Amino acid sequence: MLKLIPAIACVLALSSCASLQSNSNANSHQQSTMQNNGLISMQSNHSVKQTADRFESIAKDKGLTLFTRIDHQQNAMNADLTLKPTEVIIFGNPKAGTPLMNCAPSVAIDLPQKVLISEDAGGLVALTYNDPSYLKARHNIKGCDKVISNISMLLNNLAAAATAK
């Protein structure tokens, strides 16, 4: 019996590793999003300004409301400070946001949607946004899976179009 315990423990450990590998492959997007505080980033083929201009144009074409565009670099320069190019666009659609707020009123703190377009120290430009699945977990949103899915698809498509060549 004592000789079987190490063998059983080894088999259980190996099966756990296989299970973890399978789960990590299936959930790699979700895990990387959770590790990044619920942020999804896409590298852009354009400058910050060009990416922001493209995003704004595409969002308008999709009928989204553009609330504001913040140029953090310009604001820093106005305060005699320096900052790499960094812009935030705040946008939304009440037809998507309202059902989420009805499911979980606290999600309103994260709405309207925002995208951050920034340049890192190496000169790479990225477009970053909140992962709706992360917001779902953060606010314990129940009964809005279809809305979350639609928002995820829309954000992904907008980000991909704005960052593509």
Side-chain angles (χ1 to χ4, degrees):
M1 176 74 169
L2 290 175
K3 290 182 180 180
L4 285 176
I5 292 174
I8 293 171
C10 185
V11 168
L12 288 173
L14 288 173
S15 68
S16 292
C17 288
S19 175
L20 284 173
Q21 179 64 34
S22 171
N23 286 341
S24 72
N25 289 341
N27 295 323
S28 63
H29 170 71
Q30 180 179 357
Q31 287 176 352
S32 67
T33 300
M34 295 302 176
Q35 291 170 351
N36 293 320
N37 296 320
L39 300 174
I40 296 175
S41 290
M42 289 187 187
Q43 188 172 332
S44 180
N45 291 294
H46 311 283
S47 70
V48 168
K49 182 177 179 348
Q50 289 168 326
T51 303
D53 289 346
R54 289 169 58 99
F55 185 91
E56 191 174 282
S57 174
I58 295 163
K60 282 180 184 175
D61 289 346
K62 296 282 185 192
L64 298 173
T65 301
L66 296 171
F67 295 105
T68 194
R69 181 169 164 175
I70 303 163
D71 185 338
H72 287 296
Q73 183 184 44
Q74 184 62 54
N75 291 337
M77 288 183 348
N78 293 344
D80 294 323
L81 300 169
T82 60
L83 182 68
K84 289 274 196 193
T86 305
E87 294 195 32
V88 172
I89 298 173
I90 301 175
F91 66 98
N93 182 336
K95 290 181 182 180
T98 303
L100 288 182
M101 289 183 273
N102 281 326
C103 287
S106 67
V107 77
I109 194 75
D110 288 313
L111 297 176
Q113 295 285 337
K114 294 169 264 327
V115 293
L116 163 67
I117 304 103
S118 59
E119 181 181 310
D120 69 12
L124 295 176
V125 174
L127 185 149
T128 304
Y129 61 92
N130 285 313
D131 182 349
S133 296
Y134 184 82
L135 296 179
K136 176 184 174 185
R138 178 178 186 203
H139 297 284
N140 195 26
I141 299 172
K142 305 245 189 268
C144 281
D145 289 347
K146 180 73 173 159
V147 176
I148 294 284
S149 177
N150 289 341
I151 292 171
S152 293
M153 219 172 3
L154 175 66
L155 287 171
N156 184 64
N157 291 341
L158 288 169
T163 59
K165 284 190 174 186

